[in-house]
Amino acid sequence: MARIAIVGVGAIGGVTAALLQQAGGHELLLCTRKPMSGLSVETPDGVVTVHAKFVTDPCEAFEVDWVLVATKAYDVAGAAKWLDKLCSKGAPVAVLQNGVEHRERFAPYVALENILPVMVDCPAERQTLDKIRQRGVMHLKVPDSGLGREFVEMFSGTPADATVVPDFVSVVWRKLCFNSAGVLSALVLQPAGVVRDERMSEVALQIIRECAAVARAEGAHLEENVPDLVLAAQRAAPADSINSMLADRQAGRPVEIDARNGVIVRLGRKHGIATPMNSMAVALMETMTGKRLAVDQI
Ligand SMILES: NC(=O)c1ccc[n+]([C@@H]2O[C@H](COP(=O)([O-])OP(=O)(O)OC[C@H]3O[C@@H](n4cnc5c(N)ncnc54)[C@H](OP(=O)(O)O)[C@@H]3O)[C@@H](O)[C@H]2O)c1
């Protein structure tokens, strides 16, 4: 039994809340930007109505045993405003976000030993403010550590696939290989099927190859043929599926371009690895969305 706060109750935060409720015994505090009075999650096993306390003002928060952050990567500064109160007794912060820089993003706000990076894989989307649709199993992978094991225990008895992994670095970079090519769909404003086109397929492959090269330089162990496997999986995905970067762009929200492609360029530069395709994707996206980063930020 734990008091658990979730900061950011969108697709991932909502599914996580429903799972923790199914675990039983936890007390949930849902920290949102917009006022919410209820939450229902359509899971593959039926609808779960979440019973929780909802707060919109960080001043109304109180200390808890665990904080789970499930905002987009570009909303970290706002999410951090909740942490003073929530972590006043040293609660650990699990970061359920895409990318490979979970610790770096929260290091300005939380002691490093209290940050737990989480690789989250789950097809889900928010349908309305208080309704989430979960289309498949939520996979949660965390480093094998004391915090990691405690986190996994919270999901015990739920339909989530929550596990500790010995090589977390490889797990998050493998996911980034997959996510990196998603930028193409977001750039051309077309669903996932766009990579079935032979020319787009070749561009996607080059983006993924750059990601895999940087991943290996960062210590990830990836098989030689990872780019081909990732591309094959993308081409086999439902042609009408919409990744979260495309969804954000269609909705006029910011996009996680830095967490998904900018990081490949920045870390590639650190290792002397050329990443022209990712650089171009970042420049195009920043220009199209009207957000230009300073040259030394990308
Ligand atoms: N959706 C998926 O299928 C999926 C799968 C794997 C990984 N991920 C990753 O998981 C992370 C979360 O994605 P998501 O799809 O759940 O995003 P999302 O549906 O956009 O939800 C993010 C939520 O964070 C809230 N938020 C932002 N700033 C906040 C603040 N200062 N205080 C409280 N709440 C705040 C947003 O509130 P508003 O309502 O005000 O915008 C929104 O409800 C991302 O890194 C994403 O890439 C997503």
Side-chain angles (χ1 to χ4, degrees):
M1 156 95 187
R3 278 220 285 202
I4 305 168
I6 300 178
V7 178
V9 186
I12 296 302
V15 171
T16 308
L19 286 165
L20 290 170
Q21 174 163 301
Q22 288 168 272
H26 299 309
E27 193 183 321
L28 299 178
L29 175 66
L30 303 188
C31 305
T32 69
R33 268 199 302 216
K34 301 186 182 93
M36 286 171 71
S37 53
L39 173 68
S40 77
V41 182
E42 185 188 334
T43 78
D45 308 315
V47 174
V48 175
T49 303
V50 175
H51 303 287
K53 183 171 169 53
F54 293 86
V55 282
T56 49
D57 181 350
C59 296
E60 293 168 29
F62 45 80
E63 89 271 358
V64 293
D65 302 314
W66 267 91
V67 179
L68 276 51
V69 177
T71 64
K72 290 275 170 46
Y74 51 72
D75 276 330
V76 165
K81 293 190 177 134
W82 291 93
L83 301 181
D84 272 358
K85 287 257 172 112
L86 295 174
C87 302
S88 57
K89 296 237 169 95
V93 176
V95 181
L96 286 75
Q97 290 179 336
N98 266 326
V100 296
E101 296 180 306
H102 307 69
R103 286 194 180 90
E104 289 81 349
R105 273 180 231 130
F106 281 85
Y109 314 105
V110 183
L112 269 184
E113 65 273 18
N114 280 350
I115 303 174
L116 181 72
V118 183
M119 193 290 290
V120 53
D121 189 2
C122 177
E125 72 260 349
R126 193 167 29 159
Q127 294 182 310
T128 59
L129 188 60
D130 56 2
K131 277 200 180 59
I132 311 287
R133 177 162 180 213
Q134 178 191 358
R135 295 172 188 266
V137 174
M138 175 173 266
H139 303 275
L140 298 163
K141 300 208 183 310
V142 292
D144 192 356
S145 62
L147 276 189
R149 285 187 287 273
E150 238 185 78
F151 177 86
V152 165
E153 187 52 35
M154 290 193 294
F155 291 88
S156 149
T158 76
D161 164 36
T163 50
V164 295
V165 290
D167 181 4
F168 184 74
V169 171
S170 300
V171 166
V172 279
W173 275 99
R174 190 181 298 273
K175 173 104 195 278
L176 190 63
C177 282
F178 197 88
N179 281 344
S180 61
V183 71
L184 290 176
S185 159
L187 278 170
V188 299
L189 293 169
Q190 288 181 42
V194 73
V195 289
R196 294 184 186 179
D197 173 272
E198 286 310 317
R199 292 160 310 166
M200 292 297 272
S201 200
E202 180 54 34
V203 176
L205 194 57
Q206 291 181 45
I207 288 175
I208 303 165
R209 280 186 183 138
E210 289 178 7
C211 183
V214 177
R216 290 190 185 98
E218 284 285 303
H221 300 285
L222 302 180
E223 305 79 18
E224 239 359 271
N225 62 345
V226 152
D228 301 293
L229 295 178
V230 167
L231 181 63
Q234 292 202 336
R235 287 175 61 121
D240 60 351
S241 62
I242 290 182
N243 72 40
S244 70
M245 199 187 286
L246 174 55
D248 273 347
R249 198 166 169 222
Q250 285 173 331
R253 293 186 292 258
V255 291
E256 287 184 309
I257 185 73
D258 183 63
R260 292 164 67 132
N261 299 90
V263 62
I264 298 167
V265 179
R266 284 188 279 105
L267 295 178
R269 190 175 296 146
K270 178 177 114 187
H271 294 290
I273 296 169
T275 57
M277 300 306 284
N278 281 277
S279 280
M280 181 165 72
V282 172
L284 290 174
M285 185 62 84
E286 295 288 358
T287 304
M288 284 177 176
T289 55
K291 178 176 175 254
R292 290 176 185 75
L293 293 178
V295 171
D296 60 355
Q297 279 183 275
I298 60 170

